[in-house]
Amino acid sequence: MALYCCMGISGGHLNPAVTFSNALFGKFSWRKVPGYMFAQFLGAFAAAATLYGIFKDQFDVFDGGNRQLMGPQGTGGIWCTYAKPGNGKFFSAFSEIVNTAILLFIIFSIGDDRLTPAKHHLPIAIGLLVFAIGTCTGWVTGYAINPARDFGPRVFSTILYGSDPFTFGGHYFWVPLTMPFVGACLGIFVYQFFILPEPKPKKD
């Protein structure tokens, strides 16, 4: 739904990894990157704060006002991503790279007029893509695939849990913060250099 609101204005840049990787491959102005990223992280933080305001009383019902990051009454996973127990950082990082690469690869595919673009339905197609990634390969890490949607709420959650959101899991926070950037660049690279659709014939 957010894409419907902003795609015509900003190109639908809700994800800093998308913004950065597009700029790296010359498809977006570097001049706009800092402002876009600031807005993306700030928007995610504001969304987390708004949701907490809506559900605060229900948090109290659930945990009696004693906020816990993890455990039977833990609520930390509501705000940001944490790897499944037993999932090491290497394979968690690999998961974020692969999932974000798939995200960018397919976004480019469904938006390319030389292929079979999802004309007039890009927001729905991208939403289904994110859903598919989550249900198929994303569950081991919570599939951040968007540094803003993880880091913004993670910063907000320090108000509730102190430093735990950043120290839990051996300072796991850097995985969803950095690896989507790597994956996004990889996804565009693979698309640019390995997918070579035939150009459309020019009309006379």
Side-chain angles (χ1 to χ4, degrees):
M1 296 300 103
L3 288 175
Y4 275 112
C5 297
C6 68
M7 187 166 277
I9 300 171
S10 69
H13 283 237
L14 306 176
N15 184 338
V18 172
T19 301
F20 175 83
S21 58
N22 273 273
L24 188 66
F25 283 86
K27 300 180 180 300
F28 189 73
S29 170
W30 280 109
R31 182 177 57 84
K32 296 180 179 180
V33 170
Y36 271 53
M37 285 192 177
F38 176 77
Q40 289 155 353
F41 283 107
L42 180 62
F45 179 92
T50 301
L51 287 172
Y52 184 69
I54 293 172
F55 291 104
K56 196 269 181 187
D57 285 347
Q58 293 306 308
F59 275 83
D60 292 339
V61 170
F62 179 71
D63 62 16
N66 180 28
R67 301 288 180 262
Q68 302 169 45
L69 188 73
M70 296 293 171
Q73 292 183 305
T75 49
I78 291 173
W79 310 107
C80 50
T81 64
Y82 299 92
K84 290 287 185 182
N87 217 64
K89 287 191 183 67
F90 176 83
F91 287 105
S92 295
F94 182 70
S95 172
E96 287 295 328
I97 290 172
V98 170
N99 286 327
T100 314
I102 291 171
L103 175 72
L104 268 293
F105 183 92
I106 299 181
I107 284 176
F108 267 61
S109 299
I110 62 179
D112 194 332
D113 286 335
R114 298 170 299 176
L115 296 176
T116 309
K119 286 185 179 294
H120 311 300
H121 302 293
L122 271 176
I124 294 174
I126 293 171
L128 290 172
L129 167 61
V130 172
F131 176 76
I133 291 171
T135 54
C136 294
T137 58
W139 66 274
V140 293
T141 61
Y143 71 111
I145 64 175
N146 180 342
R149 82 97 167 166
D150 185 272
F151 190 75
R154 191 180 297 272
V155 172
F156 171 78
S157 69
T158 61
I159 299 171
L160 308 177
Y161 314 104
S163 63
D164 287 354
F166 284 92
T167 59
F168 183 82
H171 297 84
Y172 174 78
F173 79 93
W174 67 267
V175 173
L177 177 61
T178 60
M179 291 302 104
F181 288 102
V182 178
C185 294
L186 177 63
I188 294 180
F189 172 82
V190 172
Y191 186 82
Q192 291 281 90
F193 291 96
F194 292 96
I195 301 297
L196 300 172
E198 291 292 327
K200 283 187 173 181
K202 292 183 179 180
K203 294 182 178 179
D204 294 331

